[in-house]
Amino acid sequence: MRDETFLDMSYARGPIDIPLLDLTIGTVLERTAELYPDQIALIMRQSGRSYQYAEFLELVNRAAQGLLTLGVAKGHRVAIWSTNQAEWVITQFATARIGAVLVNINPSYGVRELEYALAKSETQTLIMIGGFGTLDYVQMVDEICPEINRSKPGEWRSKRLPYLKNLIHIGEGGILSGMIRWKDFLSGKEAAELDRLIKEQGGFLRSRDPINIQYTSGTTGYPKGAVLSHHNIVNNAFLIGQRMRISSKDRICIPVPFYHCFGMVLGNMGCVIHGAAIVVPADSFDPWATLKTIEEERCTGIYGVPTMFIRELEHPDFDQVDLTSLRTGIMAGSPCPIELMKQVVEKMHCPEITIAYGLTESSPVISQTEVEDSLETRVASVGRPLPHTEIKIIDPALGRMVRRGNSGELCTRGYLVMKGYYKNLEASQHAIDQEGWLHSGDLATLDAQGYFKITGRVKDMIIRGGENIYPREIEEFLYTHPAVSEVQVVGVPDRKLGEADIAWIHLKESSSVTSQQIRDYCKGKIARYKIPQYIKFVDSYPMTITGKIQKYKIREVAIQELRL
């Protein structure tokens, strides 16, 4: 019997031949604007506005000076509560120019969640729109901080949010008396004076400084604020773009929300660092607006989570748009069904689309496929580690690495790992061990070529009569049924076997199939114990604003409906 060697174990490291960048976000924008001053930086389809890089840098500097005038300094928290607006992108880079920490607030937050995020992050300045959907942001702020509507800007203090000092309102809607309008907030100083003040402030910034607090969309309890640095964000965006071969000739359609790492880092930062154009089809996801934007702006890349691509492909007028300008893109945010990836490549004319995998806590991308990977490799894996990134797979119970091909918890280490959760040492130590490994909570396998495959969540694994069932495996199989559009499999309690599996299935339009026909389709193709014990046909799934399906809510509803 031969000795166990390290090469047999589930460990891989990305290449190190590409040097990491030691730059702040503000410096990156300056360099890009100097290289491509007349090229388009940002296109906002909903407003018809577009900005060249030189013009965009000037707006960022004015917003940065506006923040300085309000007393915002390095390390101060500036929250933004908005859908995908031009002001969101401007704020992202303006805060970075002066070293303020940007706090991303989910546009779908209610009063309780908003107050929690602002209080926990100790936010001093909030930049916000008037509302989103049925949510009236101004009314919600008034409920939390009634003092704002009794005073002038700068003269109020909130009892419930003692750190909050400034409120800036984007748009023309009604405001509270203590708010400042965005147009009044922008500095009117001369360009030379602006440059001097901004450069003076920038001289105190370092790439390892914290620059962003991203609230995770956790499935239980309150979300945690992952603290990211310039170094995390700049290098992750740079390396993602390199793997996709993004250049200043590209136009990337970004329908994913900016408040999430996907939109902010892969999208906005990824475009700016490579001189590409950020193309925003709408303030929130709209499949038709996305398709028309790709056609009319001749976009070369498209980003999205699987549910977005499904809605685009199944739009009744999909065949009426010309998507031949597409070359690349990213599908991420949740596991990508193999059949869906094939359709995106073939029907959306996106031959170089990549799959990316990561976590908010890892800035976010850990691994990604490459444009030259075969379609078979891209649909069956989440690629190999990005440069300067280590990945290992461990037995979650024992903490030891498993052999290649075996499933275990994926852990990562390197420049990409967050600085920790904001003012939450216990959660930080639970997520990042003493050797610097970030524990993902995801189950994965590593093959002989160094490609990773996500097989599910540690907590989502179903144990039925002693047999391990991985929901992802069953979902992938059910996607091959011609009538199935989407499927989610979760575990529910079972008195005899411990757990049983239930499949929530969304059928394609005009399709009809029974539960028994689904089970008959499974027989002889997957193991008997994996065939869903329960099947429910649904029209939609509970999901976050980013398009992530919330399996814990599916489980809660299933347990209630089945009276388990």
Side-chain angles (χ1 to χ4, degrees):
M1 179 174 153
R2 66 179 177 80
D3 293 335
E4 178 176 284
T5 67
F6 185 73
L7 292 176
D8 293 324
M9 310 309 289
S10 290
Y11 171 88
R13 185 178 71 174
I16 57 173
D17 55 324
I18 302 171
L20 290 174
L21 303 176
D22 188 26
L23 299 172
T24 64
I25 292 169
T27 302
V28 169
L29 175 58
E30 272 189 326
R31 290 188 174 193
T32 301
E34 185 177 344
L35 284 170
Y36 312 109
D38 300 325
Q39 287 195 191
I40 296 295
L42 177 63
I43 297 172
M44 304 298 299
R45 288 277 298 185
Q46 64 268 48
S47 66
R49 293 185 291 175
S50 63
Y51 307 85
Q52 296 173 318
Y53 268 103
E55 179 185 9
F56 180 69
L57 176 59
E58 182 181 351
L59 282 169
V60 166
N61 284 344
R62 290 192 177 280
Q65 179 55 35
L67 291 171
L68 290 173
T69 302
L70 291 175
V72 178
K74 179 181 177 181
H76 286 190
R77 273 75 61 206
V78 177
I80 182 156
W81 191 26
S82 169
T83 52
N84 287 10
Q85 308 286 336
E87 291 84 357
W88 207 111
V89 194
I90 293 167
T91 300
Q92 175 183 346
F93 287 90
T95 50
R97 292 285 277 160
I98 61 173
V101 177
L102 183 69
V103 180
N104 300 16
I105 304 292
N106 187 329
S108 65
Y109 271 2
V111 172
R112 187 182 179 193
E113 297 157 314
L114 172 68
E115 183 176 2
Y116 175 85
L118 294 178
K120 199 71 176 176
S121 62
E122 300 172 335
T123 286
Q124 289 121 325
T125 299
L126 173 62
I127 299 174
M128 55 181 277
I129 57 174
F132 171 58
T134 60
L135 298 175
D136 185 332
Y137 289 2
V138 176
Q139 183 180 23
M140 291 163 70
V141 168
D142 190 24
E143 181 179 336
I144 300 170
C145 308
E147 304 92 340
I148 295 171
N149 209 22
R150 301 173 189 161
S151 307
K152 295 179 181 179
E155 296 181 2
W156 54 266
R157 287 294 176 268
S158 169
K159 288 183 181 180
R160 289 164 66 173
L161 296 173
Y163 286 92
L164 191 62
K165 298 177 181 178
N166 307 303
L167 270 167
I168 300 165
H169 186 276
I170 300 168
E172 300 299 325
I175 64 173
L176 305 176
S177 61
M179 289 180 170
I180 304 166
R181 288 200 183 275
W182 175 270
K183 62 182 180 181
D184 299 324
F185 153 75
L186 291 181
S187 171
K189 290 183 180 291
E190 293 296 325
E193 177 70 1
L194 261 175
D195 285 346
R196 185 189 68 77
L197 290 166
I198 298 298
K199 286 179 180 177
E200 182 180 285
Q201 188 72 18
F204 296 103
L205 307 184
R206 299 293 179 267
S207 66
R208 265 67 174 184
D209 291 339
I211 201 64
N212 183 222
I213 296 176
Q214 293 260 346
Y215 276 95
T216 62
S217 54
T219 55
T220 59
Y222 281 106
K224 299 181 289 290
V227 179
L228 305 178
S229 67
H230 295 271
H231 193 66
N232 292 143
I233 291 170
V234 165
N235 283 291
N236 204 245
F238 173 64
L239 296 170
I240 291 164
Q242 278 224 325
R243 186 155 285 191
M244 296 171 66
R245 299 177 184 167
I246 290 179
S247 74
S248 59
K249 297 178 182 178
D250 282 302
R251 290 183 162 209
I252 309 297
C253 181
I254 304 175
V256 294
F258 293 156
Y259 94 88
H260 189 269
C261 266
F262 198 168
M264 176 185 165
V265 181
L266 285 69
N268 298 345
M269 193 69 227
C271 286
V272 168
I273 203 165
H274 292 286
I278 302 165
V279 185
V280 185
D283 59 353
S284 58
F285 177 63
D286 180 311
W288 183 243
T290 301
L291 293 169
K292 288 299 290 181
T293 294
I294 293 169
E295 177 182 53
E296 294 176 7
E297 299 294 344
R298 307 307 295 158
C299 293
T300 58
I302 172 65
Y303 289 178
V305 299
T307 53
M308 291 180 175
F309 284 101
I310 289 169
R311 288 183 63 189
E312 289 156 12
L313 285 160
E314 293 186 357
H315 193 280
D317 294 323
F318 176 82
D319 292 334
Q320 305 304 311
V321 290
D322 177 7
L323 306 179
T324 55
S325 61
L326 286 176
R327 172 185 67 83
T328 188
I330 299 177
M331 193 183 302
S334 59
C336 168
I338 291 171
E339 292 304 311
L340 174 61
M341 184 66 165
K342 290 178 180 177
Q343 288 186 55
V344 172
V345 170
E346 296 167 8
K347 295 183 179 180
M348 296 186 75
H349 306 283
C350 210
E352 297 180 4
I353 192 165
T354 64
I355 293 289
Y357 161 76
L359 318 166
T360 300
E361 293 87 344
S362 58
S363 309
V365 174
I366 297 170
S367 67
Q368 186 178 9
T369 59
E370 304 191 47
V371 295
E372 63 266 24
D373 284 337
S374 68
L375 178 59
E376 290 72 21
T377 298
R378 279 184 281 155
V379 298
S381 79
V382 292
R384 291 184 283 197
L386 286 180
H388 301 276
T389 301
E390 293 180 273
I391 303 179
K392 69 175 180 178
I393 297 176
I394 64 168
D395 182 319
L398 302 175
R400 296 198 298 252
M401 270 195 287
V402 300
R403 288 184 178 275
R404 288 201 178 208
N406 290 349
S407 182
E409 183 184 14
L410 185 148
C411 302
T412 188
R413 184 167 67 177
Y415 77 90
L416 71 169
V417 175
M418 66 174 178
K419 298 180 80 69
Y421 294 117
Y422 189 71
K423 294 202 170 181
N424 193 337
L425 181 60
E426 182 180 352
S428 300
Q429 291 175 338
H430 181 74
I432 306 170
D433 65 28
Q434 292 182 342
E435 295 180 340
W437 289 99
L438 172 66
H439 291 245
S440 70
D442 287 326
L443 294 169
T445 59
L446 173 67
D447 68 19
Q449 287 70 47
Y451 286 86
F452 288 86
K453 181 176 182 179
I454 303 301
T455 56
R457 293 284 293 170
V458 172
K459 62 186 177 184
D460 287 342
M461 187 177 72
I462 303 164
I463 303 176
R464 184 180 186 186
E467 298 281 5
N468 291 346
I469 299 175
Y470 299 101
R472 176 78 191 273
E473 179 186 359
I474 303 172
E475 290 163 0
E476 287 288 4
F477 171 72
L478 291 176
Y479 269 111
T480 65
H481 191 290
V484 172
S485 172
E486 291 182 80
V487 59
Q488 296 293 320
V489 174
V490 302
V492 293
D494 185 87
R495 290 181 182 178
K496 282 188 176 182
L497 300 175
E499 282 187 290
D501 50 346
I502 179 172
W504 276 26
I505 297 174
H506 178 211
L507 297 177
K508 292 178 181 176
E509 191 173 351
S510 302
S511 293
S512 177
V513 67
T514 67
S515 298
Q516 190 55 49
Q517 286 172 327
I518 292 290
R519 292 192 184 94
D520 290 343
Y521 183 76
C522 296
K523 289 177 181 177
K525 297 173 184 172
I526 60 174
R528 190 176 186 85
Y529 68 86
K530 295 178 183 177
I531 298 174
Q533 183 169 332
Y534 305 102
I535 293 173
K536 178 181 178 179
F537 296 103
V538 298
D539 295 323
S540 62
Y541 299 94
M543 61 179 63
T544 67
I545 192 175
T546 59
K548 288 185 178 181
I549 293 171
Q550 297 170 304
K551 285 197 168 185
Y552 78 100
K553 288 190 176 180
I554 294 176
R555 186 178 296 108
E556 288 173 357
V557 172
I559 290 172
Q560 184 177 13
E561 290 181 345
L562 296 169
R563 298 182 180 181
L564 298 173

